[in-house]
Amino acid sequence: MAPDSFGPASGSAPASAAVPTQTATVLVVEDEPAIATAVAQRLTAEGWRVEVARDGLSAVDAAARLRPDAIVLDVMLPGIDGLEVTRRIQAEQPVPILMLTARDDETDMLVGLGVGADDYMTKPFSMRELVARVKALLRRVERAQQAAVTTPADPPLVMGDVAIDKAQRRVHRGGEEVHLTPTEFELLVMLASSPKTVLTRERLLAEVWDWADASGTRTVDSHIKALRRKLGPDLIRTVHGVGYAFEPPAG
């Protein structure tokens, strides 16, 4: 049986819900054999198809071949690192990526989110939390797929020079398309759907990440910073101690 953690990990895990009905494929990219094996065994025990890649170039090839539903990706890899792997994979296909990093440094996290990762965890990590994070990623993929099929196409949400096309999942500012990860897109839609309304970090976690506790508020903050880097600092207002509000630009 895989160990539940690789050393002490603080904080409680996100609340998990039902696994998506279809059998998901998860690509694990990790060069440390003990961690790769343990993660693969634990994810397989959840009923998912799992394949392991041990270096960056193999990961890019495996992603193109498998078309996985989610990727668990270590930053430090032989050959090309996890950041370059993320860039190459996201340039070919949108796929949620959970990035693993050995350094609890916000700059590293923001860089990872900026190149296309959806979430991150710092080593050492709890295996239970890893599983919960992957489940949350897969639920968001399933939810987006269901919405694309069952929800009538709404007209783009246009505020000033910002246009958000929920049907096409595309965002433009000033006429230029801005590439957002699936998580960034859902976070922006959540905020922009209630302009000038302050949404708490806890509500954003519950509705965007499907987390039922407050252990991931730093994740929200990091994604907000990533959104500001891509869309400009003026769109999202911080309400200290509470959360965030979308401020429509003058148009």
Side-chain angles (χ1 to χ4, degrees):
M1 176 180 292
D4 187 64
S5 66
F6 293 92
S10 60
S12 56
S16 58
V19 182
T21 53
Q22 73 272 23
T23 300
T25 298
V26 182
L27 174 62
V28 175
V29 187
E30 171 63 66
D31 65 315
E32 295 185 40
I35 297 179
T37 299
V39 170
Q41 288 177 347
R42 186 61 179 266
L43 298 184
T44 299
E46 295 294 325
W48 301 321
R49 293 186 295 267
V50 180
E51 184 164 320
V52 175
R54 299 298 175 89
D55 61 72
L57 291 175
S58 297
V60 174
D61 291 342
R65 173 173 49 84
L66 291 172
R67 310 290 291 186
D69 299 289
I71 298 175
V72 178
L73 173 67
D74 189 23
V75 173
M76 300 302 295
L77 294 168
I80 59 174
D81 66 15
L83 298 176
E84 181 61 23
V85 170
T86 299
R87 290 188 188 96
R88 295 190 186 188
I89 290 175
Q90 296 289 28
E92 297 298 323
Q93 57 176 318
V95 57
I97 294 177
L98 170 60
M99 192 167 280
L100 304 178
T101 175
R103 298 200 303 173
D104 188 13
D105 185 280
E106 188 170 48
T107 300
D108 288 349
M109 296 172 186
L110 286 173
V111 171
L113 297 174
V115 299
D118 286 271
D119 200 359
Y120 60 82
M121 291 182 66
T122 303
K123 295 179 179 179
F125 55 85
S126 158
M127 194 68 76
R128 186 173 69 90
E129 182 170 359
L130 176 72
V131 169
R133 298 277 187 105
V134 174
K135 285 182 178 179
L137 288 176
L138 293 173
R139 285 198 302 272
R140 295 208 299 277
V141 171
E142 186 181 43
R143 187 172 62 204
Q145 291 172 342
Q146 291 175 344
V149 173
T150 62
T151 304
D154 294 327
L157 184 62
V158 179
M159 287 176 283
D161 63 348
V162 177
I164 304 171
D165 189 333
K166 291 189 283 186
Q168 298 290 327
R169 298 182 68 85
R170 302 174 81 171
V171 176
H172 291 78
R173 180 156 203 196
E176 297 291 327
E177 184 168 4
V178 180
H179 174 74
L180 301 182
T181 69
T183 300
E184 290 168 353
F185 182 84
E186 292 193 22
L187 179 59
L188 178 63
V189 168
M190 180 79 182
L191 290 164
S193 295
S194 302
K196 295 185 177 293
T197 301
V198 180
L199 302 182
T200 66
R201 292 175 175 85
E202 291 75 18
R203 181 177 173 186
L204 293 170
L205 276 174
E207 300 206 24
V208 176
W209 277 267
D210 286 330
W211 293 13
D213 61 41
S215 66
T217 51
R218 190 176 177 192
T219 296
V220 177
D221 297 340
S222 295
H223 277 81
I224 291 291
K225 289 181 180 180
L227 275 177
R228 285 172 171 158
R229 287 176 62 184
K230 293 181 179 182
L231 290 166
D234 58 317
L235 288 183
I236 302 173
R237 175 169 56 93
T238 299
V239 181
H240 293 288
V242 183
Y244 299 97
F246 183 84
E247 293 294 325

